Amino acid sequence: MLRCVSGLCRARGVLPRATLGFCPSPRNPGHRRGKWRGGEIFEVCKMASGSTQTPTGRVNRLINEKSLYLQQHARNPVDWYPWGQEAFSRAAREMKPIFLSVGYSTCHWCHVMERESFEDEEIGRILNENFICVKVDREERPDIDKVYMTFLQATDSGGGWPMSVWLTPDLRPFVGGTYFPPEDGVRKVSFRTVLLRIVEQWKENRAFLCERSERILSVLQSSSGIDGAAEPPLSLPVQKLCFQQLERIFDEEYGGFGEFPKFPTPVNFSFLFCLWALSKGSPEGTQALHMAVHTLKWMMYGGIHDHIGKGFHRYSTDQTWHVPHFEKMLYDQAQLAVAYAEAFQISGKEIFSDAAHDILQYVLQNLSDDAGGFYSAEDADSLPNAQSKEKKEGAFATWTAKEIQQLLPDMEEANGNTFGDIFMHHYGMKEEGNVSASQDIHGELQGQNVLIVRSSLELTAAKFGLDVARVQTILSMCRDRLYKARRLRPPPQRDTKILASWNGLMLSGLARCGVILRDEEYIERAKLAASFLHENMYDLKSGILLRSFYKGHQPIADLVPGFLDDYAFMVRGLLDLYEACLDQFYLEWALQLQDRQDQLFWDAKGSGYFCSDASDSSILLRLKDDQDGAEPSGNSVSVVNLLRLACYTGRTEFTERSGQILAAFSERLLKVPASLPEMVRGNMIYHQTVKQVVVCGDKEDPNTRELLEAAQSMYVPNKVLILADRTQTSFLYSHLPFLLSLEQKDGKATAYVCENFTCSLPTTSPADLRTMLAPSGTQRSRPL
């Protein structure tokens, strides 16, 4: 009888717990510490390096796939299949279990397991003789990833990538884990041992395994729903508890939430800024703002921020934001750009606007396709130099003291120090390197420095007897020189896959930053991206949005259709882009996508949106994501999307549907709202109602522009902006007849603030409009 790994066949306490005599924990000597959060195991320190070396003269069928992650495994001795009927049919015909391996192209542990196991000839033989092996790119197929990650987490098997799951030929999981090491050891069992034990049990107890897999799936199906309520939860108790839960784990010294590893988690900033704006003057609002800006400052100073190449790495392995995991993801850049821009909008401090510009410059230089779309990510690993054969994590981003002194030998006459001396002091560099051995188990960063601001400009200036302006000039010159030197290094691999969801986030990032930072180039770049997405990732006939796009890989029929996140993030991006440029085309497309989202994903019985549609029979579970993590959930984003669209279209069913989502997730919102901070924000806006800021006038009229800029200059999370230009055949006038009743005062551009079917008295003054939008401002109103 198979005794399952670490309770792998025990789903939520319903099925019996047993053990196979080993624990396939992702922890290994390369991990300094493992932490479990909501069933997910996170990498927390430096890990073994990946390799570009693969057997030559051999390719498997993955060579024909579009995904970079799948192509990376095309020369393994493993007979890999992509997810599809060919693999399923062979498994059923030969009655072999399926080995499902899920990862993504910039996943460091995925590189490690490939080098240690999938490139090994003996492992390849065992896999090929006993299993049907299937590779999945989780970024391309999040629906597959979500089903089997739910299995892992429900059976106390942790979570993370690479994800390793064994399935029956009909795709039901019966055992799984994440990373398996190459050698047996204390409290760890090798991948080879795992394979041989599963082979043995499949031969001896196949019927039992199949029966157990059916029971597991049955339990998952019965427990995958959400417990909702008839009405949305009240706003005040939910937002208060969410704030308290975040405050409880807030790091007052270094910012962030929890000890380590530390993730940026932009959804937390979104909630905290909203709480501040809607409860100004309260102790909670003041503390919420402090928690957000304090964290953003420390992140900006930390090693998680690439001080030379710009942008932010994935996460920090330590409490001080010093040593990061070096991959860079598009979704992080998009959301953090908005967070820093909003911090500037609220505080007026240029350090935050500088950070927003920094992020967008990185994206435009490194993740931007000439045709308009944005690429997914850059890898953490790269070759240290052109002669190297083995990649190392962080090789592209770290520096030795010797390199710095050689590149920055200039002498500062005022004090006799070199530019290198000043730079090394300001960025916390040491002759022996500034990465501790505990964070570098495999010695990849030995003698290296991860740049981190350890001294303020004022203190650096005082130490070297210089004025602050001179220090700024020197550091800027140093960064420029190091940037040019770094470009001579072998760069990390870039995943040029273009994803609709992450590009939707980038539309928001560019549009919001363009407005707040008053940079028209960002708005124009967002328009180019929207045009690319409309032309290449949207089927006009069916109204279907595609999940991904690869150059040279058309037609549309061959590509994966979009999931909930693709639609929700794109709708938000288009609404943000409308408010930035006031082109009603983006409203029309957003409405079309929302209507299609409702048709494909809405749960008519339990409310809320499923993450995937019902068209793919190989997806055993339709799930609803109940957590805002590195990205917000599609349901959380849709709450506010629907409220905004109701204001732009007059369709009250959108407001009702927004409330139905909140009601569906009410139990989670009332118990652990900090797991859904973006939805908590939506619940706050739902109960506050949305303000329609209507500016009547010609877009090119300077008076109109002043009113628009006044509305855009303020952080008001519960507002939408409408330009009423008297074009009565336009989208807005056809959907909002009340716009015809709003007139220009004395022939001048005029603004109204409308709420609950009532509009304020008109104003032509930008200052008055700001007062009307301020929480303390009260204005007399008139009915629509």
Side-chain angles (χ1 to χ4, degrees):
M1 177 177 71
L2 175 69
R3 296 186 176 274
C4 296
V5 180
S6 284
L8 289 171
C9 294
R10 182 177 63 89
R12 302 199 183 201
V14 177
L15 300 179
R17 185 183 183 104
T19 114
L20 187 58
F22 61 85
C23 176
S25 167
R27 301 179 180 90
N28 68 18
H31 281 79
R32 178 162 55 121
R33 183 176 180 186
K35 282 202 172 187
W36 300 87
R37 293 183 180 175
E40 186 169 359
I41 183 79
F42 295 102
E43 306 163 281
V44 295
C45 71
K46 305 330 307 152
M47 305 156 194
S49 64
S51 171
T52 59
Q53 303 304 304
T54 57
T56 58
R58 178 198 295 122
V59 295
N60 56 50
R61 55 183 60 77
L62 297 186
I63 197 68
N64 298 315
E65 292 301 304
K66 303 177 292 293
S67 160
L68 174 60
Y69 174 64
L70 269 57
Q71 290 176 359
Q72 288 171 342
H73 293 265
R75 288 175 172 80
N76 296 164
V78 180
D79 186 20
W80 292 113
Y81 284 82
W83 182 269
Q85 192 56 51
E86 182 183 6
F88 309 154
S89 296
R90 183 182 168 194
R93 185 171 61 253
E94 299 180 13
M95 271 311 294
K96 288 182 177 179
I98 293 171
F99 168 59
L100 173 64
S101 177
V102 182
Y104 55 102
S105 68
T106 59
C107 166
H108 184 80
W109 272 118
C110 300
H111 300 330
V112 173
M113 193 163 177
E114 179 189 18
R115 178 177 63 83
E116 295 175 340
S117 295
F118 300 144
E119 292 180 358
D120 183 87
E121 295 288 342
E122 183 185 7
I123 294 296
R125 180 186 59 78
I126 295 172
L127 284 168
N128 296 338
E129 290 178 358
N130 299 282
F131 303 93
I132 306 302
C133 302
V134 175
K135 263 286 176 191
V136 168
D137 181 341
R138 68 172 295 265
E139 294 171 353
E140 185 179 53
R141 292 300 303 265
D143 53 338
I144 300 169
D145 176 67
K146 194 173 295 292
V147 167
Y148 296 105
M149 188 62 71
T150 298
F151 159 71
L152 286 190
Q153 294 177 343
T155 54
D156 290 348
S157 304
W161 300 275
M163 176 167 60
S164 306
V165 184
W166 285 264
L167 320 176
T168 62
D170 58 356
L171 308 181
R172 301 170 190 267
F174 61 87
V175 71
T178 52
Y179 164 83
F180 293 95
E183 303 291 340
D184 293 324
V186 178
R187 293 179 59 103
K188 63 177 183 178
V189 174
S190 69
F191 187 54
R192 180 180 182 278
T193 299
V194 173
L195 291 176
L196 293 177
R197 292 186 184 179
I198 292 176
V199 168
E200 178 185 0
Q201 294 301 322
W202 183 258
K203 290 178 179 177
E204 296 180 1
N205 298 294
R206 182 181 306 172
F208 174 79
L209 291 181
C210 291
E211 176 191 356
R212 184 179 290 276
S213 70
E214 291 179 6
R215 295 177 63 193
I216 292 172
L217 186 65
S218 177
V219 171
L220 292 178
Q221 287 173 330
S222 64
S223 60
S224 62
I226 53 177
D227 298 320
E231 298 291 336
L234 295 176
S235 179
L236 286 177
V238 170
Q239 71 189 51
K240 183 176 181 179
L241 182 57
C242 185
F243 169 74
Q244 290 172 344
Q245 290 176 345
L246 288 176
E247 186 181 37
R248 195 174 302 135
I249 59 173
F250 175 62
D251 183 343
E252 188 65 49
E253 185 173 5
Y254 297 107
F257 302 91
E259 295 179 1
F260 61 89
K262 279 187 174 177
F263 289 76
T265 322
V267 288
N268 288 343
F269 306 132
S270 180
F271 161 71
L272 293 170
F273 286 149
C274 185
L275 179 61
W276 168 81
L278 299 182
S279 56
K280 282 184 180 177
S282 70
E284 291 83 3
T286 301
Q287 176 67 359
L289 181 60
H290 164 70
M291 289 161 61
V293 298
H294 186 65
T295 299
L296 288 168
K297 281 183 183 178
W298 275 98
M299 285 172 50
M300 183 175 59
Y301 296 146
I304 191 174
H305 176 208
D306 186 344
H307 296 277
I308 303 302
K310 306 183 187 301
F312 280 76
H313 300 295
R314 180 67 191 90
Y315 65 83
S316 173
T317 63
D318 58 79
Q319 185 178 359
T320 65
W321 304 101
H322 180 201
V323 182
H325 179 55
F326 288 89
E327 69 189 58
K328 291 180 179 178
M329 311 301 295
L330 179 65
Y331 59 78
D332 282 325
Q333 316 307 322
Q335 294 177 91
L336 285 173
V338 174
Y340 278 105
E342 290 179 343
F344 165 71
Q345 186 178 36
I346 291 168
S347 70
K349 294 181 178 180
E350 291 187 1
I351 57 171
F352 296 124
S353 62
D354 290 345
H357 284 301
D358 173 290
I359 294 167
L360 294 182
Q361 287 170 20
Y362 163 74
V363 172
L364 295 177
Q365 290 170 1
N366 296 278
L367 297 179
S368 180
D369 185 86
D370 291 342
F374 292 99
Y375 303 141
S376 298
E378 280 192 328
D379 206 343
D381 301 359
S382 62
L383 296 171
N385 54 61
Q387 291 72 43
S388 301
K389 295 184 177 181
E390 187 172 291
K391 291 182 178 181
K392 292 185 177 182
E393 184 172 13
F396 191 66
T398 56
W399 304 86
T400 65
K402 182 178 179 181
E403 285 177 309
I404 296 299
Q405 293 294 1
Q406 288 177 341
L407 290 166
L408 306 174
D410 315 54
M411 190 69 67
E412 178 61 19
E413 295 181 1
N415 55 29
N417 293 107
T418 66
F419 282 10
D421 295 332
I422 297 169
F423 186 88
M424 287 183 61
H425 172 78
H426 189 74
Y427 286 102
M429 296 183 63
K430 298 178 181 179
E431 290 291 336
E432 68 276 16
N434 67 3
V435 179
S436 67
S438 63
Q439 293 176 284
D440 185 28
I441 298 297
H442 297 281
E444 292 179 297
L445 298 177
Q446 186 174 2
Q448 298 289 329
N449 288 273
V450 177
L451 302 185
I452 179 171
V453 177
R454 293 295 197 189
S455 175
S456 68
L457 288 169
E458 290 76 13
L459 289 175
T460 298
K463 177 177 176 59
F464 293 98
L466 302 171
D467 60 43
V468 171
R470 179 58 181 161
V471 170
Q472 287 179 311
T473 299
I474 291 172
L475 293 177
S476 178
M477 292 169 59
C478 293
R479 289 192 297 268
D480 289 343
R481 194 175 300 175
L482 294 181
Y483 176 76
K484 292 175 183 177
R486 202 172 83 166
R487 292 189 66 181
L488 301 177
R489 297 175 175 179
Q493 191 166 26
R494 182 172 57 183
D495 190 338
T496 58
K497 174 173 68 260
I498 296 174
L499 297 174
S501 60
W502 297 0
N503 273 254
L505 292 175
M506 202 63 228
L507 286 183
S508 290
L510 288 164
R512 294 284 295 129
C513 288
V515 167
I516 295 170
L517 306 177
R518 298 193 179 185
D519 192 319
E520 194 66 30
E521 290 186 9
Y522 293 153
I523 298 172
E524 289 301 313
R525 185 60 184 84
K527 291 163 68 174
L528 177 64
S531 177
F532 170 87
L533 294 164
H534 192 266
E535 292 176 10
N536 295 280
M537 300 182 68
Y538 180 63
D539 185 2
L540 288 171
K541 292 183 179 179
S542 65
I544 294 293
L545 186 66
L546 296 178
R547 169 64 179 175
S548 54
F549 174 87
Y550 302 87
K551 281 188 174 182
H553 289 279
Q554 296 296 85
I556 283 177
D558 295 335
L559 299 176
V560 177
F563 302 99
L564 171 62
D565 288 358
D566 297 301
Y567 285 83
F569 296 179
M570 277 295 299
V571 169
R572 181 165 76 174
L574 292 169
L575 295 179
D576 288 336
L577 185 51
Y578 165 74
E579 294 203 10
C581 69
L582 302 168
D583 184 339
Q584 295 183 38
F585 165 78
Y586 303 114
L587 290 181
E588 293 185 65
W589 191 20
L591 179 60
Q592 292 166 3
L593 290 177
Q594 185 62 58
D595 284 339
R596 201 71 176 100
Q597 175 183 318
D598 291 346
Q599 295 168 11
L600 292 171
F601 306 107
W602 183 254
D603 180 2
K605 295 181 180 179
S607 295
Y609 293 102
F610 291 111
C611 295
S612 59
D613 65 28
S615 63
D616 190 341
S617 60
S618 70
I619 304 302
L620 303 182
L621 298 171
R622 293 185 75 195
L623 302 169
K624 297 174 187 174
D625 199 347
D626 61 356
Q627 182 169 341
D628 296 324
E631 305 165 58
S633 75
N635 276 287
S636 295
V637 171
S638 293
V639 169
V640 179
N641 285 351
L642 290 164
L643 294 173
R644 295 171 76 182
L645 280 168
C647 292
Y648 286 123
T649 65
R651 288 171 55 176
T652 57
E653 68 266 28
F654 284 150
T655 302
E656 294 171 2
R657 182 151 289 185
S658 178
Q660 289 169 349
I661 297 173
L662 294 168
F665 287 87
S666 61
E667 182 180 34
R668 193 155 178 84
L669 288 170
L670 288 167
K671 291 182 178 179
V672 280
S675 66
L676 283 168
E678 184 66 20
M679 190 173 289
V680 176
R681 174 178 173 268
N683 192 47
M684 294 166 67
I685 294 172
Y686 176 85
H687 287 283
Q688 284 275 337
T689 71
V690 181
K691 299 178 180 180
Q692 294 168 301
V693 181
V694 184
V695 176
C696 301
D698 183 85
K699 182 180 177 181
E700 304 305 321
D701 183 345
N703 294 324
T704 304
R705 299 301 305 174
E706 288 181 4
L707 288 172
L708 291 171
E709 289 174 2
Q712 293 171 328
S713 68
M714 301 183 65
Y715 179 79
V716 183
N718 60 323
K719 81 169 191 299
V720 300
L721 180 63
I722 295 172
L723 176 64
D725 60 2
R726 310 300 292 179
T727 306
Q728 297 184 15
T729 58
S730 69
F731 174 90
L732 285 169
Y733 277 89
S734 64
H735 284 84
L736 302 173
F738 82 88
L739 294 178
L740 292 169
S741 68
L742 303 182
E743 300 177 350
Q744 293 184 353
K745 183 179 179 182
D746 300 326
K748 295 182 179 180
T750 304
Y752 299 81
V753 178
C754 307
E755 190 174 351
N756 288 327
F757 302 100
T758 301
C759 285
S760 67
L761 294 177
T763 182
T764 60
S765 166
D768 287 348
L769 178 57
R770 290 188 183 93
T771 301
M772 294 161 68
L773 291 176
S776 58
T778 56
Q779 299 288 323
R780 291 175 296 161
S781 301
R782 68 179 181 86
L784 293 176

